[in-house]
């Protein structure tokens, strides 16, 4: 059974940091590109960050550049999203996703998805 399980979300204050994790089972992340997306209430799911299978290339949404860092530990089959200087606009459910297609920012291009973890930033 293929699963992506996110963890690490929570309620924090503006300016705080969080580290999200996404553990995979039933698939090998070292063969896949991975990404983080987020969805706030009443809004569409939006791209946050992505990295290629070997972590050698990354992409970030303009809104998180310089504050968020995507990384992976292929030995642990896990992807991370380090978030610093959080702001209220970062409040959303965060999803990790994986795909064998080339690195991109479109949710429809990702085959595998986690169930999401809630991040709430109070101002």
């Amino acid at each position: 059974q293929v699963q992506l399980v996110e963890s690490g979300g929570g309620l924090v204050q503006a300016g705080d940091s969080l580290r999200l994790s996404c553990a995979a089972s039933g698939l090998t992340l070292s063969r896949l590109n991975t990404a983080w997306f987020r969805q706030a209430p009443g809004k569409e799911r939006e791209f946050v960050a992505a990295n290629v299978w070997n972590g050698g290339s990354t992409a970030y949404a303009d809104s998180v550049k310089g504050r968020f860092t995507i990384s992976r530990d292929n030995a642990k089959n896990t992807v991370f999203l380090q978030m610093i200087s959080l702001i209220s606009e970062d409040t959303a459910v965060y999803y990790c996703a994986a795909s064998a297609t080339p690195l991109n920012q479109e949710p429809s291009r990702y085959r595998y998805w986690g169930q999401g973890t809630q991040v709430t930033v109070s101002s």
Side-chain angles (χ1 to χ4, degrees):
Q1 182 180 3
V2 173
Q3 274 192 316
L4 293 174
V5 179
E6 302 96 335
S7 61
L11 173 63
V12 297
Q13 293 186 337
D16 285 350
S17 301
L18 275 177
R19 188 193 196 204
L20 306 183
S21 300
C22 173
S25 59
L27 72 166
T28 303
L29 291 184
S30 62
R31 299 178 181 177
L32 301 171
N33 298 328
T34 57
W36 287 91
F37 291 82
R38 67 186 182 187
Q39 189 165 17
K43 295 187 177 181
E44 293 187 352
R45 191 166 298 188
E46 66 172 356
F47 170 77
V48 175
N51 66 1
V52 297
W53 62 274
N54 62 359
S57 179
T58 58
Y60 294 94
D62 288 342
S63 59
V64 307
K65 279 181 182 177
R67 300 189 299 118
F68 290 12
T69 303
I70 187 171
S71 62
R72 59 165 68 207
D73 184 338
N74 285 337
K76 295 182 178 180
N77 221 21
T78 301
V79 179
F80 306 98
L81 185 68
Q82 178 68 51
M83 307 183 293
I84 66 171
S85 301
L86 285 161
I87 58 178
S88 58
E89 289 80 3
D90 295 321
T91 295
V93 177
Y94 284 71
Y95 300 89
C96 70
S99 173
T101 59
L103 202 66
N104 64 82
Q105 303 182 10
E106 290 297 321
S108 62
R109 302 300 300 273
Y110 288 82
R111 177 177 180 181
Y112 305 105
W113 288 86
Q115 83 291 344
T117 184
Q118 176 70 47
V119 172
T120 303
V121 183
S122 63
S123 56

